[in-house]
Amino acid sequence: MKKYCIGIDVGGTTVKCGLFTEKGELIENWEVVTCTDDNGSHILPDVAASVEEKLRERNIAKEDVLGAGVGVPGPVDEAGELPCAVNLHWGRKNIGKEMTELLGIPSKAGNDANVAALGEMWKGGGEGARSLVMITLGTGVGGGIIINGKIVTGAHGAAGEIGHANVEPYEEAVCNCGNHGCLEQMASATGIVRLARIELEKSPDASVLRDGELSAKSIFDAFKAGDSLAAKIVDRFAEYLGHAMAFMSAVVDPEVFVIGGGVSKAGEVLVESVKKYYQRDAFTACKDTPIVLAKLGNDAGIYGAAKLALEA
Amino acid sequence: MKKYCIGIDVGGTTVKCGLFTEKGELIENWEVVTCTDDNGSHILPDVAASVEEKLRERNIAKEDVLGAGVGVPGPVDEAGELPCAVNLHWGRKNIGKEMTELLGIPSKAGNDANVAALGEMWKGGGEGARSLVMITLGTGVGGGIIINGKIVTGAHGAAGEIGHANVEPYEEAVCNCGNHGCLEQMASATGIVRLARIELEKSPDASVLRDGELSAKSIFDAFKAGDSLAAKIVDRFAEYLGHAMAFMSAVVDPEVFVIGGGVSKAGEVLVESVKKYYQRDAFTACKDTPIVLAKLGNDAGIYGAAKLALEA
């Protein structure tokens, strides 16, 4: 008898859902609108109803679904408790428990960045690894740490919060978190634009970046086209990120680093730029740890949530 | 029937051994001289003979010994393989397997710094925690990372090699590992003396440190006595270490940090100095993570090895 699992990735505007075989083949994915009314109390029931409908459509009995995993945008502790999720208007709740009751299928929850890391390990850039560090370079910088096949959540749900690893304590600009010099201020989509503004102001050099809108994409495009100021900006970005990754390798020594998120669309040139500084600063034993691009894009969350559901 | 376990900590000059109850009470500890002749091939047989003699003396049957753990000064991978241990003249071997055969008692091996971390979690400064980071400030800087009660070894046996976390990429002096700016160059017993030499040369200020021998102890003693140059040196040391610890918390978010090794004999003033910079750089959720002193001193290794033996 074929067995299934379900991956759910709750975001601020839509909830992504995926029906998988237990081997990790995606059978179908779909979306549910996130309704944040009434303190987000409709979100889980809406998703559960949609999953049940999908199972009926496909004549899949609940007994053949091994589990459902739910990735949520907030810290989830070892016991599955979420203290709050600002974007969803949620206060303290245990998502796994609620979803198990709503669906009648054993459910587990995890932080969305951590769950995405698990997805990339299962079927993405880190496929086959048992330990990895995933770095998501989006509006912010997120991360997920997997050791021996399991997500590291941390004592305060803050493991993998590598966007707030400090890389420049004497930075004057303030991070969203209140600290100064977080990796997110340097290596996120907004961070690299910030670095670009500083560099453009400091330097008298001509650059295509002086015209048009600044974005992570325009900066990497200019770099690829040979713009020397863009090269300086990318180099600063890469030094911060490579240095931070080398530090991480001295802590957890993963089998592989996986880089995802919008900024990673720059592709192999990003990996090559970062590798230079990673290898400068990494401990001898870890200098050749592979650094790869994520493969699952926005689907990493549903893959990882489904995998989470399969974990004992 | 009372059950026992054995902890063995192999060092370059002596091997420390401990007989414990399964609850972690130390019944007796003793030492065996480390004989590095013939590529260190006598070390494990010498230890095994000594353990067997001890069991005979106390009329303890091997069946009542649940296991023996061995801490060794080198990287040990997930499979228990040690690629080499320079100080013992050992090449590749599987210590756990060899000791199991020699003793007729199930044996496991781990890296000595990692095993010491496990010991401090079991019966030392981190007692009761399920996750911790231990930092050993000795001749070098060692570390051990415990997550969910288990040692993190890393893909290359380099997890917890926090002495080689890079904290100053533009440092000119070279670390033993070949890199520039490792934590060990700042926060070990030799590292803080190095910082002191730099500070003494740079500054014209009077200081008791200008007379007599420089050591971690003399620097902290002068600091406690109100010497302002010593205060500057301790502050630099503390900034490097506190910054590095904050970074670690963004990666693994431990329940507690435990600081041990010779330099930690400076006591609570060391913890207070480090905490200032830890809290400056740590992510909000982790700012109050306790930082405590190790309690087991040189016995951490035998406690941790014994605990390792008890793990399934």
Side-chain angles (χ1 to χ4, degrees), chain B residues 65-76:
Chain B
V65 182
L66 299 171
V70 189
V72 294
V76 178

Side-chain angles (χ1 to χ4, degrees), chain A residues 55-77:
Chain A
L55 295 177
R56 265 196 306 274
E57 265 177 45
R58 293 190 166 262
N59 272 317
I60 296 174
K62 284 192 184 175
E63 302 82 69
D64 292 326
V65 182
L66 298 170
V70 189
V72 294
V76 178
D77 72 12

Side-chain angles (χ1 to χ4, degrees), chain A residues 81-301:
Chain A
E81 288 280 338
L82 170 90
C84 74
V86 183
N87 295 340
L88 307 178
H89 303 188
W90 281 349
R92 175 170 281 278
K93 52 165 77 211
N94 191 310
I95 310 296
K97 202 161 150 268
E98 278 190 40
M99 202 48 136
T100 303
E101 285 162 13
L102 284 164
L103 261 185
I105 292 172
S107 303
K108 287 174 77 174
N111 166 267
D112 54 5
N114 292 344
V115 161
L118 199 59
E120 286 289 341
M121 189 182 73
W122 197 29
K123 295 290 166 184
E127 194 171 344
R130 294 282 300 158
S131 72
L132 65 76
V133 170
M134 170 142 187
I135 301 163
T136 304
L137 307 172
T139 314
V141 170
I145 316 282
I146 314 277
I147 306 279
N148 291 332
K150 294 211 176 303
I151 290 171
V152 179
T153 55
H156 312 88
E161 275 289 358
I162 54 184
H164 301 286
N166 198 299
V167 291
E168 191 70 276
Y170 292 97
E171 170 64 49
E172 289 183 3
V174 185
C175 180
N176 287 328
C177 78
N179 283 354
H180 296 256
C182 292
L183 181 60
E184 180 160 303
Q185 292 181 272
M186 320 295 175
S188 64
T190 47
I192 191 169
V193 166
R194 201 183 66 85
L195 294 181
R197 291 225 166 83
I198 295 167
E199 213 59 53
L200 285 166
E201 192 154 316
K202 224 170 59 181
S203 164
D205 296 358
S207 168
V208 295
L209 295 174
R210 297 197 187 277
D211 319 309
E213 207 179 336
L214 270 180
S215 68
K217 184 174 184 320
S218 71
I219 294 163
F220 273 100
D221 284 348
F223 170 58
K224 289 175 195 170
D227 187 280
S228 67
L229 205 63
K232 254 191 208 166
I233 297 159
V234 168
D235 193 64
R236 280 202 69 199
F237 155 91
E239 181 168 13
Y240 282 121
L241 184 54
H243 172 78
M245 287 166 60
F247 201 115
M248 293 174 214
S249 71
V251 183
V252 292
D253 180 18
E255 274 174 67
V256 58
F257 286 94
V258 179
I259 303 183
V263 178
S264 74
K265 290 185 185 151
E268 281 301 325
V269 297
L270 184 149
V271 172
E272 288 310 313
S273 308
V274 168
K275 197 176 272 179
K276 172 179 157 194
Y277 291 104
Y278 173 78
Q279 293 186 334
R280 180 192 70 183
D281 291 350
F283 181 53
T284 325
C286 310
K287 281 198 198 283
D288 294 325
T289 302
I291 302 171
V292 303
L293 293 168
K295 281 187 184 164
L296 300 175
N298 291 329
D299 288 341

Side-chain angles (χ1 to χ4, degrees), chain B residues 66-112:
Chain B
L66 299 171
V70 189
V72 294
V76 178
D77 72 13
E78 300 284 347
E81 288 281 337
L82 171 88
C84 73
V86 183
N87 295 338
L88 307 177
H89 304 189
W90 280 350
R92 174 170 283 277
K93 51 167 75 211
N94 191 311
I95 311 297
K97 200 160 151 268
E98 279 190 39
M99 201 48 137
T100 302
E101 284 161 13
L102 285 163
L103 262 184
I105 292 171
S107 304
K108 287 174 75 174
N111 167 267
D112 54 4

Side-chain angles (χ1 to χ4, degrees), chain B residues 2-78:
Chain B
K2 216 173 192 171
K3 296 287 183 184
Y4 303 88
C5 55
I6 289 160
I8 297 160
D9 182 13
V10 183
T13 50
T14 60
V15 181
K16 294 184 179 64
C17 304
L19 174 67
F20 294 83
T21 67
E22 62 177 319
K23 304 279 183 213
E25 290 152 286
L26 177 60
I27 298 169
E28 183 180 347
N29 58 338
W30 70 96
E31 295 190 356
V32 177
V33 173
T34 307
C35 167
T36 53
D37 297 347
D38 307 322
N39 288 329
S41 63
H42 306 289
I43 300 175
L44 295 182
D46 286 356
V47 172
S50 164
V51 168
E52 290 191 317
E53 198 191 313
K54 194 63 65 179
L55 295 177
R56 267 196 305 274
E57 264 176 46
R58 294 190 165 260
N59 271 317
I60 295 173
K62 283 191 184 175
E63 301 82 68
D64 292 327
V65 182
L66 299 171
V70 189
V72 294
V76 178
D77 72 13
E78 300 284 347

